[in-house]
């Protein structure tokens, strides 16, 4: 990777941003269905860097991150990179949660990042179990892809 090592607080924040984005249903659908073209996954990964850079710039300017300012960046990225125009206002919750994680991480508090990591691990384990069950039952129940998008209430609302 090169470059200087990140401060542990910054590394935790970047991890938190990645976890938050993994819960964002609109973005995950865009990645899954490659709405950003062949480089969709790269665009999603770059989104983490772009958000981290946004917060770094605010810190250098000694400005406090505000969710309302971040919402515009999130909407721009979704529109420019994935051709998504949100109508559910989910960017508000995503921005709010990112600001919470930022404020916690800058003081060395990684509680929310740890919780988000545990939730992501649980979702991935559940997804792996579901995929295994579907492959075992393949052909027995017809096309099971239509039955459930895999999104839970916590994916959509992102409540704490």
């Amino acid at each position: 990777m090169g470059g200087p090592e990140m401060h542990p607080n910054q590394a935790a924040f970047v991890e938190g941003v990645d976890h938050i984005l993994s819960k964002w249903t609109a973005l995950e659908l865009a990645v899954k269905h490659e709405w950003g073209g062949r480089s969709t996954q790269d665009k999603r990964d770059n989104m983490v860097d772009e958000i981290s850079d946004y917060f770094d710039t605010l810190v250098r300017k000694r400005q406090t991150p505000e969710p309302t300012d971040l919402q515009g960046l999130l909407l721009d990225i979704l529109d420019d990179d994935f051709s998504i125009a949100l109508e559910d206002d989910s960017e508000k919750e995503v921005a709010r949660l990112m600001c919470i994680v930022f404020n916690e991480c800058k003081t060395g508090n990684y509680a929310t990042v740890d919780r988000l990591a545990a939730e992501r691990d649980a979702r991935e384990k559940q997804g792996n179990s579901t995929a295994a069950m579907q492959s075992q039952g393949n052909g027995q129940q017809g096309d099971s892809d239509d039955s459930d998008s895999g999104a839970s209430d916590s994916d959509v609302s992102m409540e704490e």
Side-chain angles (χ1 to χ4, degrees):
M1 284 187 151
E5 281 195 37
M6 270 192 239
H7 186 278
N9 293 355
Q10 184 180 11
F13 173 69
V14 170
E15 179 184 345
V17 168
D18 189 56
H19 293 320
I20 292 166
L21 293 179
S22 76
K23 290 179 61 166
W24 197 2
T25 303
L27 179 62
E28 287 306 297
L29 286 171
V31 171
K32 179 179 179 181
H33 297 290
E34 295 187 336
W35 294 345
R38 292 184 182 180
S39 61
T40 296
Q41 185 61 51
D42 291 336
K43 290 178 181 180
R44 190 250 184 243
D45 295 342
N46 289 338
M47 190 174 181
V48 175
D49 295 336
E50 199 168 337
I51 292 165
S52 178
D53 290 346
Y54 170 81
F55 279 89
D56 287 345
T57 299
L58 290 178
V59 168
R60 282 194 303 276
K61 293 181 178 180
R62 300 186 190 277
Q63 295 176 346
T64 303
E66 295 293 333
T68 52
D69 297 331
L70 182 55
Q71 290 169 25
L73 174 64
L74 295 172
L75 290 173
D76 287 346
I77 294 170
L78 288 180
D79 184 35
D80 294 346
D81 291 350
F82 305 100
S83 300
I84 296 174
L86 293 178
E87 296 178 359
D88 65 355
D89 290 334
S90 59
E91 77 281 357
K92 292 178 181 178
E93 181 65 14
V94 170
R96 184 188 71 78
L97 191 53
M98 285 182 183
C99 287
I100 288 170
V101 167
F102 174 79
N103 287 321
E104 288 180 358
C105 287
K106 74 179 183 182
T107 64
N109 175 358
Y110 309 144
T112 300
V113 174
D114 292 342
R115 178 180 56 80
L116 291 168
E119 289 173 4
R120 185 178 193 174
D121 289 345
R123 280 193 316 275
E124 288 175 357
K125 285 179 186 172
Q126 181 182 15
N128 290 340
S129 297
T130 302
M133 288 179 8
Q134 285 177 349
S135 68
Q136 288 174 351
N138 194 12
Q140 293 178 0
Q141 295 180 343
D143 186 7
S144 62
D145 290 340
D146 297 356
S147 64
D148 184 17
S149 68
S152 70
D153 290 342
S154 65
D155 291 336
V156 176
S157 67
M158 294 184 54
E159 293 178 17
E160 286 190 39

